[in-house]
Amino acid sequence: MAVFCAIQYNEKSMELEKSFDPKRIEDRWYSIWESAGYFKPDAAADHTGQSAYCIMLPPPNVTGTLHMGHAFQHTLMDALTRYHRMLGDNTLWQPGTDHAGIATQIVVERQLDQQKLDRRAMGREAFLERVWQWKEESGSTITRQMRHLGTSCDWTRERFTMDAELSRAVTEVFVRLYREGLIYRGKRLVNWDPVLQTAVSDLEVVSTEENGSLWHIRYPLEQADGMHTEPNEALIVATTRPETMLGDVAVAVHPDDPRYQHLIGRHVRLPLCERTIPIIADTYVDKEFGTGCVKITPAHDFNDYQVGQRHHLVPINILTLDGKISDLAPLDYQGMDRFDARKKIVADLEAQGYLVEVKPHKLMAPRGDRTNTIIEPMLTDQWYVAMEDLAKRGLDVVAQGEVKFTPDNWTHVYNQWLENIQDWCISRQLWWGHRIPAWYDEDGNVTVAHSLEEAQQLSGKSNLRQDDDVLDTWFSSALWPFSTLGWPDETPELRTFLPTSVLITGFDIIFFWVARMVMMSLHFTGKVPFREVYITGLIRDAEGQKMSKSKGNVLDPLDLIDGIALPDLIAKRTTGLMNPKQAESIEKNTRKHFPDGIPAFGTDALRFTFASLASHGRDIKFDMQRCEGYRNFCNKLWNATRYVLMNCDGKDTGLDESLPLAYSAADRWIIGRLQQAKQAVAQAFANYRFDLVAREIYELVWDEYCDWYVELAKIQLNSDQAAAQRATRRTLVRVLEVMLRLAHPVIPFITEELWQTVAPLAGKSGDSIMCQRYPIADSQKIDQHAVDNILLLKELVNACRTLRGEMSLSPAVKVPLLASGDVQTLEKYRPYLLALAKLSSMEILPEGLPDADAPVSIVRDFKLMLKIEIDAAAERERLTKEITRIEAEIAKAQMKLSNPSFVERAPANVVEQEKDRLAAFNTKLGSLNEQLRKLN
């Protein structure tokens, strides 16, 4: 389809509801956009001369639901997509979901558990049928939620990593890499989950600080020929995992440690094991830490594995795949659970005199993010990708600027990972996923092929067995930028949209996903997958704490959109929990953080909040008060549009270009201010400063258009000159129409609803704001003389308002103003000052202001004074009482802030609020004292 819709004139109702109701418009407009095909690009754009713009959605897990991180990143991606679509670019936002091997398999296995079924008893084929059934029934939850957020992906191109075409790409990549010698099978140490009984990636291992113990154990020195050994001479080693000593193959010391140099090459007796192991020298040992002796267990520690490789030590695997002691260990421990064995080993060490001491010890425990079990380094046969050559190309394209990171500091992180890359373990011992395309004959010979038929042909054998393992989920994810566009076929989409324009993702997967996409795309297409990578921060709560269910501070973006009552929120968070204490804790914390539940803010207010927070920082503090503020912004925009419609609908808005227009300084000023905003927003989008996009739109709409221009226009519409009224109405509607287009990428629903009513008055027509051109700045429309004029007017109005505030005048009370300065300028501003400063009259005194007790404000060459008869004695008494009250408030705030207990224990935002209160009180006190001084 064409990027821009055919322009059609439709008579539209100019009426708006009195108040903005997000729910009423959101579902309606989204279904209109999607059914009209507005989200689709044109794959043949290389024939039309359009620029292509493409964003790949990081595929969320098919098991997932929309969380705050998703909603934040999706808002930014959608803003860019809508922006470039309106610029005229041929724009594709490619959606899809990831099969999420481990996560999905666990979900289905838990369902089977509830039905007293076991996947092993069912068999592989029957189990996979159940997984596909679950995927069809429940796997699209997150994409439905994305629609609720307003995301304008091309849903007709939605992909799933296990789709037939994407699976074909996965097989093709595996076969090619194997035939190029870049995929191999070998025995190495991996992260092993004994509950799932599969290798897991580093990203699936969560290290948490826990209380543990450090056991100090005697390793007796073995008698050596010709050397004297004391009866109790021994090396003392310390370990947090005493069960692994059954697999020790050496004790290492630093080669320069004078305490042990004479022992290097000798042997010690391994307690409980009836064997001796050598004392070796290796610089891995820190001679200043502990005793300077380290037990080496290559089969169960990543560092020890490297030491073992250097010294050609044969590893001994003393654990089975389900976390029990293997038959390579002494008979007394075989078959025991690893933690039960730990207790027995410690008891036996103590009984036999080998246990020296036990000390409490803080340690980082590696736990599986799905099972919460302790992860074991395990020596197993796995498939690997050789990464060194691939990584070199990945480093080169970033160094040459073909791929750029924003913020730039993440380039260093990317480089550091690739410069220290290890071969990638790509096999997983699961059933759900892309099964490895390798077949074995009876003798164990392997054939890698695209299909069983090809494997039989290549091997000359008919009785072949396929490898049981599946590929790491990140393997298919690494192909996402080109597999979704049709590779290995040379499709129009692949030609048009690769390289894609930008990837938006979090810093935690720069290596696991970003780097691997770069390497795979370069290797198979010769192109980088994307030109830019924008790394977002992590969403935290208002106090900077990580969001978690246990803390009760987690937020569901859909709750922020639709609202949820406290009882429903508690039920949502505690239903299904088996642990009553955990449920009680979550309920307590939920009541603490959300005592009134969560109000409905609507999609646009949430999106505006996300955009406003999207700075280049690492952490993003999400405060619901910001949502409330941006909901108020939407209401402000709605009410301003209602005012414009009431004053312009059915009236002359300058559509007839032949009629004269008499623009005022205010008209020319807001037109110029609009150009500045257009330029600032374009620059902010180019720099991925979504916070500046939001700020510029907010300030233009609220501060300039609503608070100033609309108020000035009210005065101008009372003019008796038709050309002036016409110009003001034309400016009101046309600036508003442009502002709606300017804000649409961030707040799409309200801008679409309002644009439909405003557009005809501004001479625009069309089915949707999405089909309109994005506003482009025109610097020639900036009238500096008008800018200076309105700036001075603002200063004079604000000075009058300050005088009113100092004198505690009610906003309803109109008072006279005495003014001195240039008479012509003051006369020009008279109607605006009377209205905006709420004056009953303005008397201009060319010779200067009279001596009086009233305060005077000086603005450049102008002096202003409100003419009010006051009772000096009564005013002194009022000011004195107020000063006493403010001083008491200052004393209380100072006492709080000088209390270390308050400063250290209170939430950071509460402390900041108290500091702000103190600063405001001090400012107020200074103003009151100045008023009292003038009065005296």
Side-chain angles (χ1 to χ4, degrees):
M1 61 162 286
V3 172
F4 292 103
C5 313
I7 300 296
Q8 298 176 359
Y9 179 75
N10 296 320
E11 196 66 39
K12 297 182 175 73
S13 168
M14 299 298 168
E15 294 183 8
L16 279 179
E17 297 288 336
K18 287 187 177 180
S19 59
F20 172 48
D21 178 7
K23 193 166 185 60
R24 187 181 61 81
I25 66 173
E26 288 171 6
D27 291 343
R28 176 168 57 86
W29 275 116
Y30 196 89
S31 62
I32 290 172
W33 293 333
E34 187 174 1
S35 61
Y38 294 158
F39 304 160
K40 295 179 183 179
D42 180 1
D46 51 343
H47 303 301
T48 67
Q50 287 178 302
S51 297
Y53 187 86
C54 180
I55 294 180
M56 288 282 161
L57 174 74
N61 288 354
V62 71
T63 57
T65 55
L66 196 74
H67 59 60
M68 291 293 281
H70 288 135
F72 173 56
Q73 291 181 353
H74 294 178
T75 294
L76 306 187
M77 283 182 259
D78 191 57
L80 284 172
T81 299
R82 289 176 181 272
Y83 170 65
H84 280 274
R85 191 182 286 125
M86 292 177 74
L87 280 178
D89 295 339
N90 185 29
T91 304
L92 168 65
W93 186 7
Q94 173 64 54
T97 50
D98 191 283
H99 66 278
I102 291 177
T104 304
Q105 182 156 322
I106 287 176
V107 167
V108 177
E109 283 197 56
R110 284 175 180 165
Q111 290 179 348
L112 293 175
D113 286 343
Q114 293 171 359
Q115 301 168 28
K116 308 299 185 200
L117 296 173
D118 179 78
R119 70 175 170 93
R120 292 174 181 83
M122 293 175 64
R124 187 168 192 146
E125 294 307 315
F127 175 74
L128 290 177
E129 283 181 18
R130 287 294 293 266
V131 179
W132 278 107
Q133 180 185 340
W134 176 89
K135 188 263 177 184
E136 294 306 317
E137 291 172 356
S138 308
S140 58
T141 299
I142 195 164
T143 53
R144 289 197 302 272
Q145 292 172 332
M146 285 178 64
R147 286 172 166 87
H148 202 20
L149 193 67
T151 51
S152 59
C153 306
D154 180 4
W155 296 109
T156 65
R157 293 187 48 80
E158 185 177 356
R159 299 291 185 262
F160 177 54
T161 49
M162 292 280 285
D163 284 344
E165 287 305 302
L166 270 66
S167 295
R168 180 167 71 98
V170 168
T171 300
E172 181 66 27
V173 165
F174 188 97
V175 172
R176 287 197 199 180
L177 288 175
Y178 179 81
R179 292 175 180 174
E180 292 168 5
L182 292 174
I183 280 183
Y184 64 93
R185 186 167 171 80
K187 187 183 286 290
R188 288 192 174 195
L189 215 58
V190 296
N191 295 315
W192 186 264
D193 188 316
V195 174
L196 296 174
Q197 294 188 41
T198 181
V200 294
S201 71
D202 289 345
L203 195 64
E204 292 156 325
V205 180
V206 180
S207 292
T208 55
E209 187 177 74
E210 299 181 10
N211 292 319
S213 298
L214 193 62
W215 287 270
H216 293 252
I217 305 168
R218 291 179 65 251
Y219 283 48
L221 199 62
E222 184 75 353
Q223 183 70 45
D225 291 340
M227 300 189 70
H228 175 71
T229 303
E230 294 293 334
N232 292 322
E233 192 171 358
L235 295 183
I236 309 299
V237 299
T239 180
T240 58
R241 301 161 66 213
E243 67 278 9
T244 63
M245 67 174 291
L246 304 179
D248 286 359
V249 296
V251 172
V253 297
H254 195 281
D256 299 330
D257 192 333
R259 294 173 294 176
Y260 307 116
Q261 282 178 326
H262 66 291
L263 299 177
I264 295 169
R266 293 185 63 179
H267 287 70
V268 292
R269 291 197 308 277
L270 183 60
L272 312 180
C273 292
E274 302 299 325
R275 59 188 174 89
T276 62
I277 56 177
I279 301 170
I280 62 174
D282 198 285
T283 53
Y284 160 67
V285 179
D286 181 357
K287 58 185 178 181
E288 304 300 328
F289 182 78
T291 63
C293 301
V294 177
K295 61 191 282 299
I296 302 301
T297 320
H300 299 289
D301 183 277
F302 288 101
N303 291 319
D304 291 4
Y305 181 79
Q306 298 298 328
V307 174
Q309 293 284 297
R310 288 196 290 271
H311 294 269
H312 309 291
L313 301 171
V314 179
I316 301 174
N317 192 341
I318 55 92
L319 287 176
T320 61
L321 298 181
D322 58 352
K324 292 182 170 60
I325 303 300
S326 76
D327 57 8
L328 295 180
L331 188 62
D332 287 352
Y333 309 108
Q334 291 178 15
M336 293 183 71
D337 176 81
R338 53 188 168 152
F339 298 117
D340 292 336
R342 174 182 293 182
K343 293 173 185 175
K344 180 170 172 51
I345 288 167
V346 170
D348 291 348
L349 288 170
E350 185 170 22
Q352 296 180 35
Y354 293 116
L355 188 62
V356 178
E357 63 177 331
V358 184
K359 292 182 177 180
H361 182 71
K362 292 276 188 184
L363 52 84
M364 298 304 292
R367 293 187 176 273
D369 67 343
R370 305 288 177 185
T371 60
N372 201 41
T373 193
I374 293 290
I375 297 297
E376 292 287 351
M378 190 76 77
L379 201 59
T380 58
D381 287 310
Q382 303 287 347
W383 289 90
Y384 291 88
V385 178
M387 301 301 293
E388 186 176 351
D389 290 342
L390 295 172
K392 186 179 184 306
R393 291 192 70 189
L395 287 164
D396 289 344
V397 293
V398 171
Q400 293 159 9
E402 292 182 58
V403 176
K404 296 179 181 178
F405 283 83
T406 301
D408 182 60
N409 58 291
W410 294 111
T411 305
H412 173 70
V413 174
Y414 172 92
N415 289 340
Q416 195 172 38
W417 271 329
L418 264 64
E419 287 163 359
N420 298 281
I421 200 165
Q422 302 291 319
D423 286 357
W424 176 14
C425 175
I426 57 171
S427 47
R428 297 291 182 268
Q429 289 64 52
L430 303 169
W431 284 356
W432 173 245
H434 296 99
R435 196 166 177 181
I436 290 176
W439 285 263
Y440 301 89
D441 63 19
E442 296 92 333
D443 300 323
N445 299 309
V446 64
T447 302
V448 170
H450 296 87
S451 64
L452 171 61
E453 292 73 23
E454 186 185 16
Q456 290 170 331
Q457 183 180 3
L458 290 172
S459 66
K461 305 282 183 70
S462 59
N463 187 21
L464 298 178
R465 174 185 60 84
Q466 188 172 359
D467 197 307
D468 286 328
D469 290 354
V470 300
L471 287 164
D472 177 11
T473 298
W474 293 104
F475 189 88
S476 52
S477 299
L479 319 183
W480 187 252
F482 54 96
S483 65
T484 52
L485 297 176
W487 188 93
D489 298 333
E490 185 64 30
T491 63
E493 291 84 0
L494 193 65
R495 287 193 300 269
T496 301
F497 295 113
L498 192 75
T500 65
S501 304
V502 63
L503 176 74
I504 296 181
T505 189
F507 59 78
D508 51 335
I509 54 174
I510 290 176
F511 174 66
F512 290 96
W513 191 44
V514 178
R516 287 168 178 168
M517 283 190 287
V518 172
M519 291 184 282
M520 289 296 184
S521 185
L522 283 168
H523 191 75
F524 289 101
T525 71
K527 299 177 181 179
V528 294
F530 28 71
R531 295 184 180 90
E532 295 185 86
V533 182
Y534 173 56
I535 301 295
T536 67
L538 292 182
I539 297 288
R540 297 185 179 274
D541 72 7
E543 295 169 17
Q545 298 296 310
K546 183 178 179 180
M547 290 189 181
S548 71
K549 289 182 180 178
S550 61
K551 291 179 182 176
N553 63 347
V554 72
L555 285 166
D556 180 336
L558 297 186
D559 290 342
L560 290 165
I561 292 172
D562 298 328
I564 186 169
L566 180 61
D568 295 331
L569 183 60
I570 291 170
K572 176 179 176 180
R573 294 179 172 187
T574 57
T575 299
L577 291 179
M578 304 301 290
N579 186 332
K581 286 188 176 179
Q582 184 187 15
E584 183 181 341
S585 174
I586 289 175
E587 178 176 347
K588 178 182 175 182
N589 287 327
T590 300
R591 289 183 183 278
K592 171 188 169 185
H593 288 285
F594 309 105
D596 302 315
I598 298 174
F601 295 111
T603 299
D604 287 323
L606 179 61
R607 287 174 58 117
F608 210 113
T609 304
F610 281 137
S612 73
L613 293 170
S615 65
H616 286 179
R618 189 182 180 108
D619 290 327
I620 293 164
K621 295 180 181 180
F622 187 92
D623 189 343
M624 278 208 312
Q625 290 182 350
R626 295 285 288 266
C627 269
E628 187 174 345
Y630 292 121
R631 181 181 60 185
N632 294 340
F633 171 82
C634 291
N635 288 333
K636 186 88 166 179
L637 181 58
W638 185 274
N639 291 333
T641 304
R642 288 190 75 244
Y643 167 79
V644 171
L645 293 175
M646 285 189 292
N647 285 275
C648 298
D649 186 16
K651 298 177 182 175
D652 184 356
T653 58
L655 293 177
D656 187 344
E657 300 288 348
S658 66
L659 297 176
L661 296 163
Y663 288 104
S664 68
D667 299 332
R668 297 194 304 275
W669 161 72
I670 196 64
I671 291 169
R673 179 64 185 85
L674 180 63
Q675 309 314 310
Q676 293 169 337
K678 291 178 190 177
Q679 181 59 42
V681 168
Q683 189 63 50
F685 267 125
N687 295 333
Y688 302 106
R689 289 300 303 268
F690 300 93
D691 56 331
L692 300 185
V693 171
R695 189 176 77 182
E696 191 65 32
I697 291 169
Y698 184 98
E699 290 178 355
L700 174 67
V701 172
W702 190 304
D703 299 345
E704 308 288 24
Y705 185 80
C706 294
D707 281 1
W708 284 103
Y709 181 68
V710 168
E711 297 305 315
L712 296 171
K714 289 176 183 177
I715 301 159
Q716 293 173 180
L717 289 177
N718 290 324
S719 167
D720 54 4
Q721 295 182 28
Q725 286 193 9
R726 183 181 303 116
T728 294
R729 288 197 189 93
R730 179 184 171 107
T731 305
L732 270 171
V733 297
R734 297 202 175 199
V735 170
L736 177 57
E737 188 274 332
V738 173
M739 289 194 308
L740 294 173
R741 284 188 280 134
L742 199 68
H744 176 75
V746 181
I747 46 175
F749 292 109
I750 188 172
T751 51
E752 178 72 271
E753 182 77 3
L754 297 179
W755 186 85
Q756 296 291 327
T757 62
V758 172
L761 300 177
K764 295 281 185 180
S765 58
D767 292 330
S768 171
I769 193 173
M770 285 183 64
C771 305
Q772 303 300 308
R773 282 280 184 183
Y774 199 75
I776 304 296
D778 182 353
S779 59
Q780 293 184 342
K781 291 184 177 179
I782 299 175
D783 185 330
Q784 193 57 48
H785 181 68
V787 170
D788 295 340
N789 258 286
I790 300 303
L791 179 60
L792 176 57
L793 174 59
K794 283 183 177 183
E795 290 177 14
L796 292 169
V797 171
N798 286 332
C800 291
R801 289 171 175 172
T802 300
L803 289 172
R804 294 180 64 97
E806 288 177 356
M807 303 181 78
S808 303
L809 294 176
S810 164
V813 175
K814 291 191 173 185
V815 293
L817 173 73
L818 300 180
S820 69
D822 182 72
V823 175
Q824 188 177 356
T825 301
L826 289 170
E827 284 294 350
K828 180 174 63 177
Y829 291 151
R830 179 186 291 274
Y832 303 107
L833 286 169
L834 290 173
L836 301 182
K838 301 208 181 281
L839 305 175
S840 58
S841 64
M842 182 175 79
E843 184 179 352
I844 301 173
L845 305 172
E847 303 302 320
L849 299 182
D851 292 332
D853 291 334
V856 174
S857 182
I858 300 174
V859 178
R860 303 188 197 180
D861 296 330
F862 300 89
K863 291 183 179 180
L864 308 172
M865 182 174 69
L866 297 179
K867 186 179 179 182
I868 303 174
E869 296 295 332
I870 62 171
D871 182 332
E875 183 64 7
R876 283 192 195 93
E877 184 179 354
R878 185 190 71 80
L879 289 171
T880 303
K881 283 182 180 178
E882 183 65 4
I883 287 169
T884 302
R885 186 185 73 81
I886 294 295
E887 286 174 338
E889 293 288 351
I890 289 172
K892 279 197 290 185
Q894 287 174 334
M895 187 178 297
K896 259 190 181 181
L897 291 170
S898 63
N899 182 350
S901 179
F902 170 76
V903 174
E904 291 167 11
R905 295 181 186 177
N909 65 320
V910 173
V911 175
E912 282 303 312
Q913 284 174 5
E914 198 61 30
K915 288 179 180 177
D916 291 343
R917 286 182 74 243
L918 179 59
F921 285 141
N922 280 318
T923 301
K924 180 70 173 175
L925 182 63
S927 175
L928 291 169
N929 281 323
E930 178 62 18
Q931 289 180 56
L932 187 60
R933 185 191 66 78
K934 289 179 179 178
L935 205 58
N936 290 331

